[in-house]
Amino acid sequence: MEEKYSINEILNAVNEINEVKVNTQIEVKKKVDNNDIPTNTLKLIEQAEKSKG
């Protein structure tokens, strides 16, 4: 069964997908509280991030 969609329906669907992407990206960029992480662990994480990029 072939369904036909109007241009407006397709554009509305694309806009909904883009809104979901924006909302999930905002949630990911939360500030991390490093006070509970030992300093040695933080140094290891920083070294790993440097070697990655």
Side-chain angles (χ1 to χ4, degrees):
M1 180 186 316
E2 185 175 312
E3 304 224 9
K4 295 185 180 184
Y5 298 98
S6 70
I7 293 175
N8 285 334
E9 289 175 318
I10 295 170
L11 290 175
N12 286 337
V14 170
N15 286 335
E16 288 177 15
I17 292 170
N18 285 334
E19 287 177 13
V20 169
K21 286 182 182 179
V22 168
N23 290 339
T24 55
Q25 288 176 355
I26 291 171
E27 292 175 10
V28 170
K29 294 182 181 181
K30 290 182 181 178
K31 178 73 175 160
V32 176
D33 184 18
N34 292 339
N35 292 333
D36 295 336
I37 303 172
T39 54
N40 291 340
T41 305
L42 287 175
K43 288 179 184 178
L44 288 173
I45 293 170
E46 289 174 358
Q47 288 176 353
E49 288 176 347
K50 288 180 185 176
S51 68
K52 202 163 93 174

